[in-house]
């Protein structure tokens, strides 16, 4: 089905044409007609299936039809669990809504507080936000929820995982009643707790499930290497040396410490890599992601905070340097590649510490990942060693000695008066 077959306003159609969309994806074909008819939608769809465009097209169409004026109280609200996802939705919204007269404003922590506050006071049609800072502005009276005509909750399952459910319920209780607004909810899994949220705050939501039997993206080639923990880096370098340039690779680990360590090892061996995790300041994270999108950076190492927040076309390889403990995280990680109809390769390392999670992952995705036992030529054993800098606690740091000044002599046990350690006097 083509977008021109839908009854869409001209500004929306022009935006769709400008970003190069022609045919609807399965999730768009099932959910957009329902949303255009005014129905609430609860959709199950993996990342990379076009769900963001699905809810943006329906949202813009509704706002154009209502013809309300812009004010400091928003008309639509999109809630997402991570800052990176907010930025990605905002960028997609600017493209699809380029010919619509809407003011879009992202709201999230880690960036200029007063600048976002002023933007809300100046007037906005659509807010795209993480829950925390949004509630902060609302409680201060910077804006009100009473004019909200449409609500979108993206990656609802992640809201639960990240502890946002209380904030989400607070927001939804401040909105107009569900019969006076339209709600669209999207989630990788429509679990019992997600559907409970839908039953409580949505108006008889139409459930849309796209290919539930196909949990992982069809165009992702998956391969698993059984390798010892101490040999993983040598295998990684050996595989990287065989890859064709240019490549754009995401590497996932389970801890922030391991992310920093792996990034250091890659840099020492000549690979331009950066780390993205929850400890990185927001401005630096955005700069790193911009470099990765612009192909100025080819290797990005991240924890699972990145697996849900990075939506970048053109990622050629995903490496699970550490197997994830949660099977759903495996799906979200490898979903960073093979987006928008492209193909991609997902490589996973199963070492002696993490191989125990493999059976749960394969049970969740419904098949066994093709396994390979690497040969000696697959390893790169002549790599450079990386020695991380030790962080010295502030209390242990000493001021450098002044130039020409000798360090103090250690005491030998004698006192000023010449008393020996045993208590006797040295005087004769």
């Amino acid at each position: 089905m083509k977008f021109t077959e839908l009854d869409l306003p001209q500004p929306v159609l022009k935006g769709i044409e400008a970003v190069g969309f022609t045919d609807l994806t399965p999730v768009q074909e099932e959910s957009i007609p329902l949303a255009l008819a005014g129905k609430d939608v609860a959709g199950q769809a993996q990342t990379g299936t076009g769900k963001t465009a699905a809810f943006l097209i329906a949202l813009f169409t509704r706002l154009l039809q209502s013809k309300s004026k812009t004010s400091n109280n928003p008309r639509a609200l999109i809630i997402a669990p991570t800052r990176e996802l907010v930025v990605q939705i905002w960028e997609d919204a600017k493209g699809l809504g380029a010919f619509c007269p809407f003011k879009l404003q992202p709201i999230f922590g880690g960036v200029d507080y007063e600048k976002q506050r002023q933007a809300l006071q100046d007037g906005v049609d659509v807010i795209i936000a993480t829950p925390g800072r949004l509630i902060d502005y609302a409680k201060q009276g910077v804006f009100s929820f009473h004019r909200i005509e449409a609500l979108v909750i993206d990656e609802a399952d992640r809201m639960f995982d990240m502890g946002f459910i209380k904030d989400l319920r607070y927001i939804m209780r401040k909105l107009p009643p569900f019969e006076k607004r339209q709600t669209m909810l999207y989630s990788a899994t429509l679990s019992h707790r997600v559907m409970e949220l839908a039953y409580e705050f949505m108006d008889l939501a139409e459930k849309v499930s796209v290919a539930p039997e196909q949990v992982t993206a069809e165009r992702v080639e998956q391969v698993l290497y059984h390798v010892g923990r101490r040999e993983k880096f040598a295998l990684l370098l050996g595989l990287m040396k065989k890859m064709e340039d240019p490549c754009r690779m995401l590497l996932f680990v389970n801890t922030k410490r391991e992310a920093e360590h792996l990034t250091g090892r890659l840099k020492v061996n000549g690979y331009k890599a950066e780390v993205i995790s929850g400890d990185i300041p927001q401005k630096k994270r955005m700069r790193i992601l911009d470099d990765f999108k612009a192909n100025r950076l080819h290797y990005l190492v991240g924890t699972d905070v990145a697996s849900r927040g990075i939506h970048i076309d053109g990622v050629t390889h995903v490496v699970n340097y550490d197997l994830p403990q949660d099977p759903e995280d495996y799906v979200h990680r490898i979903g960073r590649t093979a987006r928008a109809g492209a193909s991609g390769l997902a490589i996973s390392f199963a070492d002696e510490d993490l191989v125990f999670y493999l059976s749960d992952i394969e049970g969740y995705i419904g098949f066994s990942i093709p396994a390979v036992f690497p040969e000696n030529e697959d390893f790169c054993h002549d790599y450079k060693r990386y020695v991380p800098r030790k962080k010295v606690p502030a209390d242990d740091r000493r001021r450098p000695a002044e130039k020409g000044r000798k360090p103090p002599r250690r005491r030998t046990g004698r006192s000023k008066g010449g008393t020996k350690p045993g208590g006797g006097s040295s005087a004769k």
Side-chain angles (χ1 to χ4, degrees):
M1 185 177 184
K2 296 189 178 296
F3 283 102
T4 51
E5 299 177 47
L6 297 172
D7 185 18
L8 298 173
Q10 278 302 312
V12 176
L13 283 172
K14 289 175 70 176
I16 292 170
E17 183 181 357
V19 297
F21 294 164
T22 55
D23 298 317
L24 280 75
T25 64
V27 68
Q28 292 167 353
E29 193 166 343
E30 289 199 36
S31 62
I32 291 179
L34 291 171
L36 293 178
K39 304 280 188 180
D40 283 7
V41 175
Q44 176 181 354
Q46 301 298 329
T47 183
T49 57
K51 60 183 174 66
T52 303
F55 64 68
L56 287 174
I57 290 169
L59 180 68
F60 290 156
T61 300
R62 182 182 178 91
L63 295 183
L64 286 171
Q65 291 171 345
S66 71
K67 298 181 180 179
S68 298
K69 293 184 179 180
T70 302
S71 74
N72 67 321
N73 293 321
R75 301 165 57 197
L77 175 62
I78 302 172
I79 304 176
T82 66
R83 301 165 182 176
E84 288 79 15
L85 185 52
V86 166
V87 173
Q88 186 63 46
I89 295 172
W90 178 49
E91 291 177 350
D92 291 345
K94 287 190 294 184
L96 285 168
F99 301 94
C100 298
F102 302 137
K103 295 183 72 173
L104 312 170
Q105 180 60 42
I107 299 293
F108 53 90
V111 293
D112 196 315
Y113 187 91
E114 289 301 323
K115 186 176 180 180
Q116 290 185 356
R117 179 191 179 100
Q118 188 59 51
L120 290 176
Q121 291 176 332
D122 292 342
V124 62
D125 293 292
V126 181
I127 289 179
I128 308 159
T130 53
R133 183 168 285 193
L134 181 72
I135 292 176
D136 189 10
Y137 287 134
K139 286 183 175 179
Q140 294 181 42
V142 178
F143 74 96
S144 170
F145 291 111
H146 76 274
R147 289 184 72 235
I148 295 293
E149 303 171 34
L151 168 70
V152 176
I153 304 170
D154 196 15
E155 296 199 355
D157 53 342
R158 194 62 167 174
M159 293 287 186
F160 287 91
D161 296 340
M162 298 181 69
F164 285 140
I165 190 58
K166 288 185 178 179
D167 290 343
L168 189 58
R169 288 182 180 276
Y170 173 88
I171 292 170
M172 296 181 81
R173 290 190 181 107
K174 296 293 182 181
L175 299 177
F178 56 72
E179 66 270 13
K180 293 185 178 180
R181 58 173 161 82
Q182 184 178 28
T183 304
M184 290 171 277
L185 176 149
Y186 287 88
S187 179
T189 56
L190 292 179
S191 61
H192 174 74
R193 58 184 184 176
V194 172
M195 290 310 299
E196 185 179 29
L197 190 73
Y199 294 143
E200 184 177 356
F201 293 104
M202 298 176 72
D203 187 13
L204 299 175
E206 296 281 349
K207 188 176 177 180
V208 172
S209 184
V210 179
E213 70 281 355
Q214 183 65 37
V215 178
T216 56
E218 184 178 352
R219 293 177 178 267
V220 180
E221 180 186 350
Q222 301 174 58
V223 62
L224 176 80
Y225 285 90
H226 289 276
V227 59
R229 180 170 58 86
R230 295 181 178 276
E231 297 178 317
K232 285 200 297 186
F233 187 69
L235 176 58
L236 174 65
L237 286 189
L239 296 176
M240 290 171 69
K241 288 181 181 294
K242 296 178 181 179
M243 292 176 183
E244 295 182 4
D245 287 330
C247 77
R248 189 182 295 176
M249 180 183 291
L250 276 170
L251 302 102
F252 287 103
V253 292
N254 290 348
T255 66
K256 289 178 281 189
R257 182 178 179 181
E258 182 61 33
E260 293 169 358
H261 188 67
L262 179 57
T263 303
R265 298 180 81 178
L266 288 171
K267 286 181 176 179
V268 164
N269 285 276
Y271 291 93
K272 190 176 180 181
E274 291 290 349
V275 62
I276 183 167
S277 68
D279 286 346
I280 304 296
Q282 183 61 27
K283 287 186 178 179
K284 185 177 180 181
R285 283 162 68 179
M286 293 176 69
R287 177 182 58 77
I288 290 172
L289 286 176
D290 286 342
D291 288 345
F292 193 63
K293 291 177 184 177
N295 226 18
R296 295 187 293 269
L297 175 68
H298 295 143
Y299 304 95
L300 189 59
V301 182
T303 56
D304 283 306
V305 70
S307 71
R308 299 278 188 135
I310 298 178
H311 297 262
I312 299 172
D313 294 338
V315 174
T316 57
H317 297 76
V318 168
V319 175
N320 288 305
Y321 193 78
D322 292 338
L323 276 183
Q325 300 176 18
D326 188 337
E328 289 186 22
D329 285 334
Y330 175 82
V331 174
H332 287 288
R333 288 180 180 187
I334 71 171
R336 300 310 101 195
T337 187
R339 295 176 58 84
S343 58
L345 176 62
I347 301 169
S348 299
F349 292 163
D351 61 45
E352 63 271 25
D353 293 331
L354 300 173
V355 70
F356 303 102
Y357 300 111
L358 180 59
S359 61
D360 289 340
I361 292 171
E362 292 181 332
Y364 182 73
I365 64 178
F367 60 88
S368 296
I369 305 170
V372 175
F373 288 89
E375 302 293 337
N376 188 58
E377 57 266 23
D378 294 325
F379 294 88
C380 174
H381 292 291
D382 58 346
Y383 61 85
K384 295 180 181 178
R385 304 290 172 178
Y386 166 68
V387 180
R389 291 182 179 179
K390 290 185 178 180
K391 294 183 180 179
V392 181
D395 293 342
D396 293 342
R397 295 173 189 162
R398 296 179 179 178
R399 290 187 301 175
E402 295 179 14
K403 189 174 181 180
R405 183 179 178 181
K406 295 182 179 180
R409 292 170 59 186
R410 295 185 63 183
R411 297 185 66 177
T412 61
R414 293 178 178 267
S415 67
K416 272 188 175 181
T419 305
K420 293 182 179 179
S425 174
S426 62
K428 291 183 180 179

